[in-house]
Amino acid sequence: MRGKIVKIALILLTIGSLAAACDKEKKKTPEQQFQAYADAWQAGRYDAMYELLSPDSQKKISKDDFVKKYTSIQQGIEMQNLAVRPEPAASSPAAPAQSNKVELRYRVSMTTFAGDIEYGHHAEMVRDSNADWKVDWNPSLIFPSMRDGDKVAAQVVKAPRGQIFDRNGDGLAVNGKVTVVGLVPDQLGEKAEETKQVVARQLHIAVDDINNKLKAPWVKPGVFVPIATADDRMRITLQGLDGVSFQQKSARTYPLGEAAAHLTGYVQTISAEQLGKLQDKGYNADDKIGKAGLEQIFEDTLRGKDGGKIAVTDDKGAVREILAQRDPIPGQDVKITVDASLQRAIYEQYNGDAGAAAAVQPQTGEILALVSSPAYDPNAFVAGVPAEQWNSWNNDPKLPLLNRFTKLYAPGSIFKTVTAAVGLEAKVTKPDRIRQIQGLHWTKDASWGNYYVTRDRDVPSENLRDAIVYSDNIFLAQEALEMGKDTFTQGALAFGFGEALPIPYPFPVASLANKGIAGDIQLADSAYGQGEVQMSPLHVALAYTPFVNKGDLMKPVLLKDEASGQGTPWKKSVVGADVAETIRQDLIEAVRDPNGFAYGANLPGMTVAGKTGTAELKQKKGEDGKENGWFAAFNADKPQLLLTMMIEDVKGRGGSSYVVAKAKKMMSRFGKQSW
């Protein structure tokens, strides 16, 4: 029996020894443990990394601090494509079989916002009390030069935004300096509320806007809280008030202010919604982005590419090592064909009237001005538009935020030149053909019911010249009916209707009819620019270029580097040279004739050619509606400037003659200038 017990004991001892040997064989090697550490690092599983640290390492840094440290560095440097590659055993020192320490070498590479980082380093693996291999961690395992107390500093170096210049190099949207008025909350003293009232009154904002900014989470005692930009008058008035301070700030500025607001647009801090869509393009939460106009259209060109620097710094902020550095790439400048002086002068002529204007060099197609009135001040967006100002713009019945030069309007009688040209080109009429017309009202036949066409001048007979000079609706309506809708439509479409203007600035497509001309009444109304005819002021200007260029309709040019100086037709020979010359002469007569509707634009020493137009805005005949006034003009002797102006609601103010008077001043000042 005793022999059996001995045998059983030996068997159990053998089994135990074998089990211990198996357990020993299951222990992971230092290389395997470090590979697990590397895999967790690459996957961003910092909590799993921490579990692979030695007990001594875990005493030096808590799990929360460890995870936070790695997470903040990853996010701060925008780390991507991390690769941790243990080097082959041959390049790592061999350790004695019974050693409790092993040194393993590895290489790390990653991409960051400041460039690529790559380095080689070593990690020391140690056995714990269970004979498991663990990583003996210290800060150098993040970056080799790091020591206890060091930090990784990430600094974005903003790329200067490209600037927008006019044809002469004058700034339209530039990187300048502005004076920002702000408050230091704890320095406002006993008269804090009184001071805020004064500041609000001077800056034209609400006290609530000021209080909201002072309540921002980041505001601390002694901190300057920017409120709004201030001009010299405001600065002088507010100087010396307790708690009021001023700072010079680099900012986007718009030298023409309201005069070019809708053309240039403005920049503003990117919204959360936009950031979500554009983060892959490198945008950050504090970046400025074009919100309207040229700033928005050429955002990719103007923006540039930010640079950055990533460095290891000690506890005092001194740089221990620069890990990556990339210089910013400035955005590209944009130079356009617009002339700042002309742009400002036209805007000032509106003097608050609602309307829009476009000016082109008719021989080259270069756009010289695009004006929308009234407007807003884009400089107000530099420090953030106060709610009171924003509400004022939104509630203004004249809609200063609306970009009118990109809107479509009924052109009225200014369109008659197109109808006349189409009729001549189709040989439906001739310059000397006389039409017999009786009275101020005309209807085709009984099928029109109570509908009729009116005119302003009761004469028994007229030719085409008279119809243009005196703007006769009936004459042109009869012309269109004689052509028929197909001939009229085909000829008018040649002037670019139904097609997008070939420029980078987005304009709506001009419309001749929404779903085709339905019948004779619509055809008659279309002949004098009513019905469903819709055009932007720029398209109107372009539609007049054939009368300068022997029938060629010029391609519009907005970017200066695309201007050849010769011009390129958008539509070649929309009418013949003889037809174009006939219309040109009629436009000269419209201004030269003392009884002509455009005589108000007549200038001594300049042969002005022009056409007036009044578009009636009403739902049915006999209804009392508003009227928009139009005028298009150019110097027939030296066609360097073709100007189209439209002003809303001119009824009771002289109609189109109200517009003519303003355009005349522009022709007098700029009509002989070369561009």
Side-chain angles (χ1 to χ4, degrees), residues 69-70 137-150:
K69 194 174 192 71
Y70 273 85
W137 186 87
N138 64 73
S140 73
L141 295 187
I142 303 176
F143 293 111
S145 60
M146 285 190 73
R147 304 290 182 267
D148 288 334
D150 286 356

Side-chain angles (χ1 to χ4, degrees), residues 389-406:
Q389 177 63 79
W390 185 254
N391 291 334
S392 175
W393 286 337
N394 272 302
N395 297 327
D396 190 329
K398 288 189 175 181
L399 305 175
L401 296 173
L402 176 66
N403 185 351
R404 286 175 166 84
F405 70 68
T406 61

Side-chain angles (χ1 to χ4, degrees), residues 342-534:
L342 178 63
Q343 177 83 17
R344 180 186 281 111
I346 294 174
Y347 181 80
E348 290 173 349
Q349 277 302 308
Y350 277 83
N351 194 28
D353 283 329
V360 301
Q361 209 288 15
Q363 295 173 315
T364 66
E366 293 172 55
I367 297 170
L368 301 175
L370 290 170
V371 174
S372 179
S373 174
Y376 58 89
D377 183 4
N379 292 295
F381 289 90
V382 173
V385 177
E388 185 175 314
Q389 177 63 79
W390 185 254
N391 291 334
S392 175
W393 286 337
N394 272 302
N395 297 327
D396 190 329
K398 288 189 175 181
L399 305 175
L401 296 173
L402 176 66
N403 185 351
R404 286 175 166 84
F405 70 68
T406 61
K407 301 306 175 187
L408 298 177
Y409 303 88
S413 295
I414 207 167
F415 180 77
K416 289 174 182 174
T417 53
V418 174
T419 301
V422 172
L424 290 169
E425 186 68 16
K427 303 191 183 306
V428 171
T429 190
K430 296 181 179 180
D432 56 355
R433 178 179 176 181
I434 304 294
R435 287 186 180 274
Q436 306 297 326
I437 304 172
Q438 300 296 324
L440 298 175
H441 298 73
W442 175 79
T443 186
K444 178 188 175 185
D445 53 38
S447 67
W448 281 20
N450 295 326
Y451 198 85
Y452 53 86
V453 178
T454 64
R455 61 176 179 169
D456 296 310
R457 184 170 168 269
D458 186 2
V459 291
S461 60
E462 278 190 327
N463 60 16
L464 183 61
R465 179 263 185 200
D466 297 334
I468 297 296
V469 172
Y470 307 120
S471 200
D472 193 306
N473 289 347
I474 296 175
F475 186 102
L476 274 303
Q478 291 182 354
E479 285 276 287
L481 290 174
E482 190 171 336
M483 286 183 237
K485 68 176 183 180
D486 291 341
T487 298
F488 172 80
T489 299
Q490 184 177 357
L493 287 177
F495 283 77
F497 285 89
E499 298 183 46
L501 298 181
I503 56 173
Y505 207 109
F507 278 79
V509 175
S511 170
L512 194 62
N514 296 338
K515 296 181 179 179
I517 295 176
D520 286 347
I521 290 177
Q522 186 178 351
L523 177 58
D525 283 345
S526 299
Y528 49 88
Q530 295 279 175
E532 294 175 348
V533 181
Q534 296 279 292

Side-chain angles (χ1 to χ4, degrees), residues 90-255:
S91 63
S92 296
Q98 301 304 316
S99 174
N100 288 324
K101 291 185 179 182
V102 176
E103 184 180 280
L104 299 179
R105 297 190 182 281
Y106 62 94
R107 292 201 67 79
V108 175
S109 63
M110 66 185 74
T111 59
T112 74
F113 75 89
D116 295 340
I117 297 176
E118 184 170 357
Y119 60 86
H121 196 42
H122 61 271
E124 193 167 79
M125 306 296 292
V126 297
R127 292 185 200 267
D128 64 9
S129 59
N130 295 320
D132 291 321
W133 289 101
K134 299 289 186 177
V135 177
D136 188 17
W137 186 87
N138 64 73
S140 73
L141 295 187
I142 303 176
F143 293 111
S145 60
M146 285 190 73
R147 304 290 182 267
D148 288 334
D150 286 356
K151 295 180 179 180
V152 176
Q155 178 185 4
V156 175
V157 181
K158 292 293 184 183
R161 189 173 179 84
Q163 303 180 96
I164 304 173
F165 297 100
D166 83 337
R167 65 187 299 111
N168 303 308
D170 292 329
L172 298 175
V174 298
N175 301 323
K177 296 281 188 182
V178 295
T179 299
V180 177
V181 59
L183 300 178
V184 182
D186 57 323
Q187 296 179 10
L188 287 169
E190 297 179 355
K191 296 183 178 180
E193 294 305 317
E194 182 180 336
T195 298
K196 286 188 279 188
Q197 291 281 356
V198 173
V199 171
R201 187 165 55 251
Q202 286 296 317
L203 299 178
H204 308 294
I205 60 176
V207 173
D208 285 345
D209 291 331
I210 294 176
N211 287 329
N212 288 336
K213 291 187 176 184
L214 294 178
K215 293 176 184 176
W218 57 268
V219 175
K220 297 178 181 179
V223 172
F224 174 88
V225 181
I227 303 298
T229 56
D231 58 27
D232 290 341
R233 179 186 58 79
M234 294 175 182
R235 185 171 54 79
I236 292 171
T237 303
L238 299 174
Q239 195 85 39
L241 293 176
D242 289 343
V244 177
S245 184
F246 302 89
Q247 288 186 358
Q248 285 289 307
K249 178 181 177 182
S250 296
R252 195 69 159 179
T253 62
Y254 302 92

Side-chain angles (χ1 to χ4, degrees), residues 32-52:
Q32 289 173 327
Q33 286 290 78
F34 186 78
Q35 185 64 60
Y37 178 88
D39 291 343
W41 190 2
Q42 291 177 143
R45 294 185 293 110
Y46 305 129
D47 53 345
M49 288 174 65
Y50 187 80
E51 299 304 325
L52 294 168

Side-chain angles (χ1 to χ4, degrees), residues 628-641:
N628 291 341
W630 287 86
F631 186 56
F634 59 89
N635 180 351
D637 293 332
K638 185 181 180 181
Q640 291 283 305
L641 170 66

